[in-house]
Amino acid sequence: MSAYIDVHCHLTGGEYGDVGALMRSLEDAGIGKVISAGFDIPSSEGGAELAEKYPMVYFTAGFHPTELKKYRDGDLYRIEELLKHPKCVALGEIGLDYHYEDTDRPLQHALFHEQLQIAHAAGMPVQIHSRDCAEDMLAFLREHADLITCGALLHCYSHSAEMSAEFAKLGVSFSFGGTSTWKGGKRAKKSIAAIPPQRLLTETDSPYLPPASKYGTFPNTPASIPEITANMALLKGMEEGTLRDIVWSNAHALFKKLNN
């Protein structure tokens, strides 16, 4: 039986207080599963610990492009080990982020490529972070299309609807969160309307990016998924329950260890 799912949230930073109470609130909100996204070694290891403690929690392990100043030799080996965990569903979040002036683009490209190679060798999908780099991201994924044959998710998709069609040709899926409910979220709304339902997923990126009804509050939690799903269903001209079921199916097809 399907339920709501959050395919990308951050649960390891201590923002929620009592995590057990958070899990109970998610069950009450109809959330069936959540994926805690790793962005460095501590968050990846923390995701594994939560996944071992709470049945609804799964996790990813990876090194985020804006966290690479923390990177040390041997870290990719640790990520490789974490991928073997029965509840690690993907390598991520990884990618490119050109938002900050001090961005080391060559280092981002190098670590992105290395992590794609690790995921491919392990037969695992990837969760991709892509910010202010649309053309480069598309070119990079085209160049390395052979490394994403196990599936890829562009999380919190922020590029254009036109670009989404090009990414989709590479087999990429797309997730959307609270920003897609904002009045100013026109680009996300256009993308959701344009992307086939079979490539759509739901996320919160919590504790950040609350939906419209909770705008300005912190922390956001995966309990926001029903509002995000309802908004996406409206944009697709579908019943909310229908889209919820499709998203559940999409997530389990992309992240095969969710079926464990």
Side-chain angles (χ1 to χ4, degrees):
M1 181 172 174
S2 66
Y4 294 104
I5 186 166
D6 187 342
V7 301
H8 188 103
C9 56
H10 299 284
L11 301 178
T12 63
E15 296 92 350
Y16 307 98
D18 184 345
V19 176
L22 172 67
M23 294 300 146
R24 291 189 291 274
S25 74
L26 300 187
E27 290 177 1
D28 291 344
I31 313 301
K33 296 179 182 180
V34 298
I35 300 175
S36 181
F39 53 85
D40 60 9
I41 299 302
S43 60
S44 299
E45 292 177 338
E49 292 172 9
L50 289 176
E52 290 165 5
K53 188 172 183 180
Y54 300 103
M56 74 158 55
V57 179
Y58 294 76
F59 76 102
T60 73
F63 234 105
H64 188 287
T66 65
E67 303 298 318
L68 296 180
K69 289 176 182 176
K70 303 176 188 174
Y71 177 76
R72 299 292 181 268
D73 287 345
D75 284 350
L76 292 188
Y77 175 76
R78 179 59 181 141
I79 288 168
E80 204 169 357
E81 289 299 301
L82 284 166
L83 292 185
K84 298 173 185 175
H85 192 289
K87 294 185 79 176
C88 183
V89 300
L91 197 156
E93 63 183 291
I94 60 175
L96 304 175
D97 189 321
Y98 295 171
H99 185 70
Y100 301 103
E101 289 184 7
D102 64 347
T103 294
D104 186 339
R105 296 189 185 190
L107 181 61
Q108 286 194 11
H109 280 246
L111 267 292
F112 190 15
H113 185 213
E114 285 189 65
Q115 290 181 96
L116 286 182
Q117 290 176 309
I118 290 169
H120 180 70
M124 296 281 281
V126 291
Q127 287 204 5
I128 297 173
H129 172 98
S130 183
R131 186 184 191 194
D132 297 344
C133 62
E135 297 291 342
D136 273 13
M137 178 60 73
L138 182 58
F140 192 94
L141 293 183
R142 281 173 172 165
E143 181 182 355
H144 302 297
D146 60 318
L147 298 179
I148 57 171
T149 55
C150 296
L153 172 70
L154 279 171
H155 103 88
C156 204
Y157 183 72
S158 61
H159 306 314
S160 69
E162 292 76 17
M163 290 286 284
S164 74
E166 297 304 311
F167 285 115
K169 291 175 184 176
L170 298 169
V172 172
S173 295
F174 309 83
S175 59
F176 294 87
T179 56
S180 64
T181 70
W182 297 355
K183 185 179 288 187
K186 293 178 181 177
R187 178 175 282 191
K189 289 181 170 70
K190 287 180 180 178
S191 294
I192 291 166
I195 293 169
Q198 288 70 28
R199 293 200 181 276
L200 288 174
L201 294 164
T202 52
E203 68 160 285
T204 59
D205 206 15
S206 57
Y208 316 107
L209 307 178
S213 72
K214 299 167 185 164
Y215 190 81
T217 65
F218 186 88
N220 185 29
T221 82
S224 297
I225 287 291
E227 180 177 347
I228 291 164
T229 305
N231 178 68
M232 289 172 66
L234 185 66
L235 292 166
K236 298 301 291 181
M238 302 172 68
E239 292 291 329
E240 180 188 348
T242 301
L243 183 61
R244 179 199 64 212
D245 294 348
I246 290 172
V247 166
W248 181 266
S249 177
N250 293 347
H252 286 73
L254 177 59
F255 305 117
K256 293 180 172 54
K257 285 194 195 172
L258 285 173
N259 297 291
N260 291 348

